[in-house]
Amino acid sequence: MHTALIPWLDPETIIQGAGPWALLVVCFIVFAETGLLVGFLLPGDTLLVISGLLSHPLPGSPDGVFGISVWWVSLLIGLAAFVGGEVGYYIGHKAGPAIFERKESGLFSVKNVERTNAFFERFGALAVILARFVPIVRTFTPVAAGVGHMHKGKYTLYNLAGAVLWGFGLTMFGYLIGFIPPIADFVKSYIDLILLAAVGGTALVTIWHYLRERSRAKKAAAAGEDVITDHAEAEELVLDPDVFDRPPHLDGDHGHRRDGHDEHPPRDEP
């Protein structure tokens, strides 16, 4: 077996000390990415696949790093994704348009909301499922559905389907590709490096996303652009309820706001 580059990254030490705690961290990241507006900074897809890979039997642990069957790992990650989606909907439903009334920053961008709205306008209620596989959009979709008062029962059904396909499905996909001999051998031999890359990569990607969004907000403010979403602009970001009942429009040219206009107008510049 590959010798750990750093003592505390010894595979057996990691397996004995991490276990359920590592899975708890993964579940929280998945929950945050789908339930909290700041979650768009987190790299969900890659983390799910790696979690599946790390569920393969390893020296010292027949159930991999997490210490439990991959079925439980996938189920708990899928549950975290579902609960996150429900919390995001609840936040949007209770806060209403006011949740969009804020200044552009590294943690919020009205363009992300508009991108999510466009996704709904194109795919209707199916966006709740499909958005799971689209970074950033999957974070804002539950909130947009809540603010627009999508029928709760319908939303929950689609949210469940999306959580199963994305959370459970991608984790199992990662586990299955671990059966490919070269990949399996690499995981068993370099588990410490994979864990280091997973932890370090998650942190670096999160920080990079935040700094990039913050830099864009600062540049926009310096250029004199409108970087504060006021009450009227927030109201314009609310989707018309009939968007959630439409069939998908694959041409993508069916923008619709609550006020009945066809497109989201550009922000007014001073």
Side-chain angles (χ1 to χ4, degrees), residues 78-123:
L79 179 62
F82 172 75
V83 174
E86 292 297 298
V87 170
Y89 178 94
Y90 178 81
I91 291 174
H93 184 76
K94 290 298 181 181
I99 198 170
F100 301 136
E101 294 179 31
R102 59 183 70 192
K103 183 178 181 180
E104 299 278 313
S105 67
L107 300 177
F108 176 78
S109 172
V110 72
K111 290 183 179 179
N112 291 335
V113 181
E114 291 173 342
R115 180 183 177 188
T116 302
N117 286 351
F119 207 75
F120 268 114
E121 289 160 356
R122 185 174 186 183
F123 296 106

Side-chain angles (χ1 to χ4, degrees), residues 5 20 43 47 158 163 166 264:
L5 297 178
L47 188 63
Y158 280 70
W166 181 69
H264 292 286

Side-chain angles (χ1 to χ4, degrees), residues 18-167:
W21 293 107
L23 181 57
L24 182 63
V25 171
V26 171
C27 287
F28 175 76
I29 289 175
V30 171
F31 166 81
E33 190 175 14
T34 54
L36 306 177
L37 282 175
V38 297
F40 76 94
L41 299 171
L42 301 168
D45 297 326
T46 304
L47 188 63
L48 298 188
V49 174
I50 290 178
S51 295
L53 279 173
L54 296 182
S55 297
H56 267 272
L58 297 168
S61 177
D63 291 316
V65 168
F66 302 117
I68 59 176
S69 167
V70 65
W71 291 100
W72 280 110
V73 172
S74 300
L75 181 63
L76 290 172
I77 289 177
L79 179 62
F82 172 75
V83 174
E86 292 297 298
V87 170
Y89 178 94
Y90 178 81
I91 291 174
H93 184 76
K94 290 298 181 181
I99 198 170
F100 301 136
E101 294 179 31
R102 59 183 70 192
K103 183 178 181 180
E104 299 278 313
S105 67
L107 300 177
F108 176 78
S109 172
V110 72
K111 290 183 179 179
N112 291 335
V113 181
E114 291 173 342
R115 180 183 177 188
T116 302
N117 286 351
F119 207 75
F120 268 114
E121 289 160 356
R122 185 174 186 183
F123 296 106
L126 282 178
V128 177
I129 298 176
L130 300 178
R132 289 287 186 175
F133 299 89
V134 184
I136 298 178
V137 173
R138 64 170 159 258
T139 299
F140 289 88
T141 292
V143 176
V147 173
H149 297 294
M150 179 178 178
H151 186 274
K152 184 59 173 62
K154 185 174 185 178
Y155 171 81
T156 296
L157 178 62
Y158 280 70
N159 180 40
L160 177 61
V164 170
L165 291 173
W166 181 69

Side-chain angles (χ1 to χ4, degrees), residues 141-217:
T141 292
V143 176
V147 173
H149 297 294
M150 179 178 178
H151 186 274
K152 184 59 173 62
K154 185 174 185 178
Y155 171 81
T156 296
L157 178 62
Y158 280 70
N159 180 40
L160 177 61
V164 170
L165 291 173
W166 181 69
F168 184 91
L170 275 188
T171 305
M172 287 300 297
F173 173 74
Y175 180 76
L176 292 175
I177 64 175
F179 285 104
I180 301 175
I183 296 178
D185 293 340
F186 182 82
V187 171
K188 290 179 180 179
S189 299
Y190 296 93
I191 182 63
D192 55 329
L193 297 182
I194 293 174
L195 286 169
L196 181 62
V199 175
T202 297
L204 289 175
V205 169
T206 300
I207 294 172
W208 179 75
H209 279 174
Y210 172 74
L211 293 177
R212 183 184 64 174
E213 293 293 328
R214 186 174 178 82
S215 175
R216 287 178 176 175

Side-chain angles (χ1 to χ4, degrees), residues 213-236:
E213 293 293 328
R214 186 174 178 82
S215 175
R216 287 178 176 175
K218 286 185 175 181
K219 289 180 179 178
E225 296 181 17
D226 178 10
V227 294
I228 299 178
T229 302
D230 59 26
H231 179 73
E233 291 171 328
E235 288 286 349
E236 290 180 350

